[in-house]
Amino acid sequence: MEQFRNIGVIGRLGSARVVDTLKQLKRFLLSRGCHVILDQELAELLPGHRLQTCTPKMMGEICDLVIVIGGDGSLLGAARALAKSQVPVVGVNRGRLGFLTDISPDEIEARVGEVLDGKYIIESRFLLEAIVKRDGVPIGQADALNDVVLHPGKATRMIEFELYIEGQFVYSQRSDGLIIATPTGSTAYSLSGGGPIMHPKLDAIVLVPMFPHTLSSRPVVIDGNSEIKIIISSQIGTYPQVSCDGQVNIPAAPGDTVTIYKKPQKLKLIHPLNHNYYEVCRNKLGWGNRLDQ
């Protein structure tokens, strides 16, 4: 197991609960002899901290471990910034669901202490890259840990597009759009659209139509190494958007092409030793417990 000495801390802004947890985490990490590096924006919430600061992207170059305090959205943003550097990431939940940020605030010292002692589980989660091209020229690019979504933007009109997988024509569809999700994102927007829950270890991508005009259109699960191409019809009057993790938006236009594929770099996500994916699903999705409990 890796030894972590240079610890970066990223947190959700505008939350008093995050500040309280940040203060507790700072005291604990310093007591363990760690060198603590704060995200520049987060550091403004902690005046007089006397710690090194840097951007999230730079943390990937100088840190052995990054701790994210916030919800899953905070970790999604950190993942896109840190995946290329391969620095491990662990999340402290100060949001609502906590699928990715799975250390509770009241266990922060015990669980982070275990991680520092080398007692943890590490997973690799792949990301997607989306490139929007106009007349063959790239006009926008973004990464996603959860999903890439083609949608009408602010309009309430259907869009029409053609879907190709590995160069093979799949279908032409009229719908509100298409969700392209990783296993990590299968419990997010994809699930709301009727998509399947995929275990994080699967090397697969799910395509979920959004309110398709054809009732036989259903979610399709494909190999994780597949190249996906969407050609937006040039005949529509809507200017759709391509959203990555619901946080980065690329404006598109009729006739544009969206290409989506797996990034070569993966996120290293750390969990406590007692992490159980199915227990997380039970707790977060309201699944039933065992009959004898």
Side-chain angles (χ1 to χ4, degrees):
M1 293 293 184
E2 298 181 51
Q3 295 298 308
F4 304 124
R5 291 290 176 262
N6 299 309
I7 314 294
V9 181
I10 297 174
R12 182 174 138 203
L13 303 178
S15 170
R17 297 189 302 168
V18 167
V19 175
D20 292 339
T21 301
L22 174 60
K23 292 177 180 178
Q24 179 187 3
L25 181 62
K26 173 195 168 187
R27 288 193 300 268
F28 176 71
L29 292 176
L30 293 178
S31 73
R32 290 290 302 260
C34 299
H35 176 57
V36 182
I37 304 160
L38 295 182
D39 168 53
Q40 285 180 345
E41 294 185 349
L42 184 65
E44 296 178 3
L45 304 178
L46 208 63
H49 56 78
R50 292 183 294 182
L51 298 174
Q52 182 180 350
T53 65
C54 70
T55 63
K57 182 174 288 189
M58 183 58 67
M59 280 188 182
E61 307 299 324
I62 62 178
C63 293
D64 308 314
L65 172 72
V66 173
I67 300 175
V68 179
I69 306 172
D72 288 344
S74 300
L75 199 140
L76 291 174
R80 294 193 303 274
L82 298 169
K84 184 176 291 187
S85 64
Q86 300 285 284
V87 61
V89 177
V90 62
V92 176
N93 186 26
R94 272 307 193 178
R96 284 175 292 183
L97 277 177
F99 268 99
L100 300 173
T101 50
D102 50 15
I103 294 179
S104 63
D106 57 350
E107 295 183 318
I108 189 169
E109 294 188 10
R111 298 304 180 199
V112 173
E114 289 175 353
V115 171
L116 297 179
D117 292 335
K119 301 174 182 178
Y120 57 84
I121 300 169
I122 190 164
E123 290 182 341
S124 292
R125 302 286 185 96
F126 72 83
L127 291 83
L128 299 174
E129 181 171 357
I131 300 176
V132 179
K133 293 183 180 180
R134 187 166 300 158
D135 298 323
V137 179
I139 62 165
Q141 178 276 334
D143 301 334
L145 177 62
N146 263 357
D147 47 43
V148 177
V149 181
L150 173 69
H151 61 96
K154 296 180 180 180
T156 55
R157 299 173 60 182
M158 281 189 171
I159 55 179
E160 186 172 350
F161 56 88
E162 292 182 348
L163 173 67
Y164 294 80
I165 299 174
E166 289 292 286
Q168 296 184 336
F169 175 70
V170 181
Y171 53 60
S172 177
Q173 185 177 101
R174 294 185 70 244
S175 67
D176 282 6
L178 186 67
I179 303 168
I180 301 97
T182 66
T184 301
S186 68
T187 50
Y189 196 20
S190 170
L191 183 63
S192 300
I197 294 175
M198 299 193 296
H199 193 279
K201 290 184 179 180
L202 285 176
D203 187 4
I205 298 169
V206 62
L207 311 178
V208 182
M210 299 167 60
F211 300 102
H213 195 260
T214 303
L215 296 180
S216 59
S217 294
R218 291 292 182 266
V220 178
V221 179
I222 63 175
D223 182 81
N225 295 304
S226 302
E227 181 185 84
I228 301 159
K229 184 168 73 173
I230 302 169
I231 301 177
I232 303 169
S233 172
S234 60
Q235 304 303 313
I236 63 173
T238 302
Y239 284 71
Q241 290 189 349
V242 176
S243 295
C244 292
D245 289 340
Q247 297 177 340
V248 181
N249 295 308
I250 306 172
D256 285 357
T257 298
V258 186
T259 304
I260 301 156
Y261 52 86
K262 182 199 293 183
K263 288 183 67 66
Q265 303 89 0
K266 295 184 178 181
L267 172 70
K268 290 184 177 180
L269 185 61
I270 283 181
H271 300 289
L273 281 178
N274 67 344
H275 175 75
N276 181 322
Y277 177 73
Y278 302 109
E279 182 180 10
V280 173
C281 289
R282 282 198 305 273
N283 293 335
K284 307 303 180 182
L285 300 178
W287 288 0
N289 290 319
R290 293 169 54 182
L291 295 179
D292 58 354
Q293 291 183 343

